[in-house]
Amino acid sequence: MILWYRAMLSRIHTSALNRHTSEKAVKHLIQCWTKKFDENQVPEAESSIKHIICSILGLRNVSRLDTMRNQILTDDEYHRLLVNTELRLKRMPVQYVIGEWDFCGLTMKMSHSPSVFIPRPETEDLVTIASELVQHLTPEEGSLRDPSCFEIGCGSGAISLALLSKHDKLRCTAIDANPAAVSLSRLNSELLGLADRASFSIAKLEDDGVIHVFSPADSQKFDILVSNPPYIPTAEISGLQPEVFRYEDHLALDGGPDGTRLIETIIRNSPKWLRGGAFIVLEIDPRQTKMIQLISQDCGSYAGFSVRKDCFGVDRFVVLRCK
């Protein structure tokens, strides 16, 4: 009788242990947290938990989870998962939760304290457009001058660093009014081995076109200017998703009354920073295309103006060429 009782206790203990262990399996965690995120109206529920688990397991690609669905998280890994999922339930963007994000094939560190703007998928199309233009700017063999790029509002450094990774002769100079953004851009440039061709400075482009605390050499002129400036009208900021409104840098979002405040400043002042024939590539709100075209025509400094679509088929970029 005693032996039977001990055997029963052992089976009960083993069953409970197996159940407890299975609850920490990757497959179960994905199912459980996808449901919980959905119930709490967290966007991209399955994608969020998969990215969180990948980060904890040190995986570079979400697709790797398919071969690790039966893996059991250690107690430490499970604790980290609970901490991170709690942050996601509070609607912190998953990029901030895991502290990094991939952009154009490069892994960028992300920062939420203080916050730095998160690069979006459509901005990869800006890099593609700018990269094609840079190819036309590459000097002929034997030339002493390498092509140069100027970025206004560098954020995490994603655009400039992606361009540098594609063109080994290109040099990028970038500014941002957010000191945390400049610090993060410098860190990303070092981690990616691109710091020798990148320069990031804390500076603000004022409404009158003056860039304070930024003094490039008088003779320095750039071949291309790129920017993903704030373009959301001020009145629309409060209606953004909690992930954006609560956590992201409003300086990188608020484009003024109609969203074109900084865009207009860039267009009206860019010719003094650029060489003749240089290009400007800007990310915009599709509602602003006509207004931006009128601004460029009013300047009289541009020989070309075109609108390009993003990966979602939306008019998202304008390309201008200086006379």
Side-chain angles (χ1 to χ4, degrees):
M1 185 69 176
I2 292 175
L3 292 177
W4 176 85
Y5 181 69
R6 286 178 177 172
M8 283 296 295
L9 285 178
S10 177
R11 282 196 290 269
I12 292 170
H13 175 73
T14 301
S15 176
L17 185 61
N18 289 339
R19 186 169 59 253
H20 177 68
T21 300
S22 67
E23 289 176 355
K24 295 182 181 180
V26 168
K27 178 180 180 180
H28 174 79
L29 291 170
I30 291 173
Q31 293 173 343
C32 173
W33 282 100
T34 297
K35 181 180 179 182
K36 190 160 187 176
F37 284 159
D38 274 332
E39 290 172 349
N40 286 271
Q41 300 181 321
V42 174
E44 300 176 335
E46 184 176 353
S47 173
S48 292
I49 187 57
K50 283 184 173 181
H51 279 293
I52 289 172
I53 293 175
C54 277
S55 175
I56 290 170
L57 295 179
L59 302 178
R60 306 306 316 169
N61 196 317
V62 171
S63 63
R64 287 282 310 279
L65 284 180
D66 292 336
T67 62
M68 304 180 68
R69 297 178 71 81
N70 295 320
Q71 179 160 328
I72 308 299
L73 268 60
T74 65
D75 289 343
D76 179 63
E77 289 169 342
Y78 185 68
H79 174 72
R80 287 164 55 199
L81 178 132
L82 293 181
V83 171
N84 288 349
T85 50
E86 184 63 28
L87 292 173
R88 189 68 186 105
L89 284 172
K90 293 178 179 178
R91 303 295 292 271
M92 179 183 282
V94 71
Q95 293 90 337
Y96 290 157
V97 172
I98 66 177
E100 61 183 26
W101 201 245
D102 285 353
F103 181 85
C104 288
L106 304 176
T107 300
M108 306 280 180
K109 293 296 182 183
M110 296 289 118
S111 171
H112 74 275
S113 183
S115 63
V116 175
F117 186 70
I118 298 168
R120 269 56 174 182
E122 56 267 34
T123 305
E124 293 193 9
D125 296 318
L126 185 153
V127 172
T128 299
I129 294 167
S131 182
E132 291 170 354
L133 296 174
V134 168
Q135 289 178 348
H136 297 298
L137 298 171
T138 304
E140 296 179 357
E141 188 175 353
S143 172
L144 297 177
R145 184 178 67 79
D146 291 330
S148 59
C149 174
F150 182 34
E151 182 181 8
I152 296 177
C154 59
S156 62
I159 295 174
S160 284
L161 296 176
L163 285 170
L164 289 175
S165 73
K166 295 176 182 294
H167 302 278
D168 58 9
K169 295 296 184 182
L170 182 67
R171 292 185 173 275
C172 288
T173 298
I175 62 171
D176 201 296
N178 180 357
V182 173
S183 177
L184 184 62
S185 293
R186 289 172 179 165
L187 172 62
N188 280 326
S189 71
E190 292 166 3
L191 293 175
L192 294 168
L194 298 168
D196 60 327
R197 293 188 288 125
S199 172
F200 298 99
S201 300
I202 303 170
K204 181 181 180 183
L205 173 58
E206 302 289 353
D207 292 340
D208 60 3
V210 173
I211 301 179
H212 291 301
V213 201
F214 177 72
S215 302
D218 293 338
S219 59
Q220 185 176 11
K221 293 280 188 177
F222 299 97
D223 298 293
I224 186 168
L225 184 151
V226 294
S227 183
N228 178 13
Y231 56 71
I232 299 174
T234 303
E236 296 179 11
I237 298 292
S238 61
L240 296 173
Q241 276 190 326
E243 283 84 351
V244 181
F245 180 70
R246 292 180 193 168
Y247 293 97
E248 292 209 58
D249 177 18
H250 283 206
L251 221 93
L253 300 168
D254 190 345
D258 62 8
T260 65
R261 181 176 58 202
L262 187 58
I263 292 172
E264 180 170 2
T265 302
I266 290 172
I267 291 174
R268 292 193 181 280
N269 291 277
S270 287
K272 64 187 178 187
W273 307 315
L274 302 175
R275 292 187 176 92
F279 292 97
I280 299 173
V281 186
L282 303 175
E283 184 167 328
I284 64 162
D285 183 315
R287 297 172 296 179
Q288 300 163 348
T289 52
K290 293 296 183 183
M291 191 183 314
I292 293 171
Q293 184 173 18
L294 290 174
I295 293 170
S296 66
Q297 290 173 347
D298 183 60
C299 290
S301 302
Y302 299 101
F305 176 94
S306 62
V307 179
R308 308 285 184 89
K309 295 185 184 297
D310 64 17
C311 54
F312 304 108
V314 175
D315 290 341
R316 181 63 65 191
F317 312 102
V318 293
V319 177
L320 300 93
R321 189 167 196 182
C322 294
K323 290 182 177 178

